[in-house]
Amino acid sequence: MAHATGTCIGSVLVGDRAMSLIKWTINHIAPAFIVTSPVTSYVDQIWSIHKNRSSAGFSLDIPLIMLVSSITKLFYWFGAHYDTPLLIQALVMCVVQVVLLHVALQNRPPVGAQHSLNQPFAGAKEGPQGFLVHRPYDFWQWRNQRPYWSFLAYYTAALAILQLLIGPNETYVQIQGFVALGVEAILPIPQILENHRLRSSKGFRVSVLVNWLIGDAFKMTYFFMSEGGIPWAFKLCGMFQAACDCYLGVQYWMYEQGTLRADDGVAKGF
């Protein structure tokens, strides 16, 4: 009887220690990873463009998506007061994406040599059906660099004015959150569509995919188990982005950097 009691007490102690370790990881390791994730995710892309002196195959839509999202998240903090690591991440992301945009603009290929805007990763190549879709007023497709920075400045100024006028409004704060995080959540979609259209994941860097998936794991754990206040906008948009990233992994396995896997093609009728 005494032996059984001792065993139970030992199991409880082990369980408590395990939970303490998990909580320590969530409260210390996960925030550190979240804060540094912008650097670990994009430094290789920046270096690759700088080294090759070309941003061919890299979509300028990536800095657009991340800058709009991160700038909006900064203003969202004034109403939501979410966890400090997420605020720092938004600040770091702004800096990293500004550097990435600058390097990409400085090393753009000549007119007519730009790869499809739907392929956001360096090294991606257009398929036989690749084409450049012109947007109204050539938005974010300008050849001159100044309009890019002007747009970001005007966007930031507009958010600052709105913050002064209606910043405390609860509805506005909620809209800010879902816009900021919803925009970020759509980041993988252009690559998903391009992979599906070309039946290929060539040009998609597995290192980026792995980094995103690890980041999703840390974010989901932190969002749902952290003792701090994490708004539901982070959780919902985070789950959607994690699902998209997982599907990118499925595509990478299916298409094997080129054509669709033979066995899948037969089984699914491709």
Side-chain angles (χ1 to χ4, degrees):
M1 184 69 178
H3 176 71
T5 303
T7 302
C8 291
I9 294 175
S11 299
V12 171
L13 291 175
V14 171
D16 289 342
R17 289 178 180 176
M19 287 302 299
S20 297
L21 179 60
I22 292 174
K23 288 183 178 180
W24 185 89
T25 301
I26 293 171
N27 292 325
H28 295 83
I29 303 300
F33 184 89
I34 288 173
V35 168
T36 58
S37 62
V39 177
T40 57
S41 297
Y42 294 100
V43 68
D44 179 59
Q45 185 71 72
I46 294 172
W47 172 248
S48 176
I49 294 174
H50 176 73
K51 180 181 178 181
N52 296 324
R53 293 291 189 269
S54 174
S55 60
F58 173 75
S59 174
L60 293 178
D61 287 347
I62 300 303
L64 170 64
I65 290 172
M66 296 311 301
L67 282 169
V68 168
S69 172
S70 299
I71 293 171
T72 309
K73 273 196 285 187
L74 293 179
F75 287 96
Y76 175 49
W77 181 86
F78 290 102
H81 296 290
Y82 52 80
D83 274 11
T84 302
L86 298 174
L87 174 63
I88 297 174
Q89 183 203 38
L91 286 167
V92 175
M93 183 65 78
C94 284
V95 174
V96 171
Q97 293 299 325
V98 165
V99 173
L100 177 57
L101 178 61
H102 172 73
V103 172
L105 290 175
Q106 289 288 338
N107 295 280
R108 279 187 298 180
V111 177
Q114 178 68 46
H115 292 299
S116 170
L117 286 177
N118 291 329
Q119 297 193 8
F121 300 99
K125 296 182 179 179
E126 286 185 311
Q129 300 176 355
F131 59 92
L132 179 64
V133 178
H134 289 284
R135 302 166 184 172
Y137 304 102
D138 290 328
F139 177 73
W140 212 255
Q141 295 176 336
W142 306 295
R143 295 308 303 177
N144 190 1
Q145 296 186 26
R146 184 173 181 178
Y148 294 91
W149 306 114
S150 297
F151 168 78
L152 293 173
Y154 289 142
Y155 182 75
T156 304
L159 287 181
I161 293 172
L162 288 173
Q163 187 65 37
L164 292 174
L165 296 177
I166 57 174
N169 184 276
E170 185 176 346
T171 301
Y172 175 68
V173 172
Q174 292 178 354
I175 292 174
Q176 264 189 324
F178 280 104
V179 168
L181 298 160
V183 168
E184 181 179 355
I186 68 173
L187 180 64
I189 291 180
Q191 187 67 36
I192 289 175
L193 296 176
E194 190 73 0
N195 289 349
H196 179 74
R197 184 176 68 85
L198 299 177
R199 292 293 191 270
S200 171
S201 59
K202 190 173 184 179
F204 181 80
R205 294 187 174 190
V206 68
S207 61
V208 175
L209 174 62
V210 171
N211 195 292
W212 281 6
L213 291 174
I214 293 175
D216 290 335
F218 272 99
K219 284 194 297 184
M220 290 298 96
T221 303
Y222 183 70
F223 288 169
F224 285 95
M225 299 185 68
S226 173
E227 296 178 355
I230 307 296
W232 265 99
F234 279 93
K235 298 176 182 179
L236 293 175
C237 294
M239 287 189 291
F240 176 80
Q241 187 172 7
C244 290
D245 291 342
C246 289
Y247 185 66
L248 274 174
V250 172
Q251 284 188 322
Y252 191 87
W253 176 78
M254 288 172 59
Y255 299 146
E256 284 193 336
Q257 293 283 314
T259 57
L260 191 67
R261 291 171 62 97
D263 52 347
D264 289 335
V266 173
K268 299 181 181 180
F270 288 116

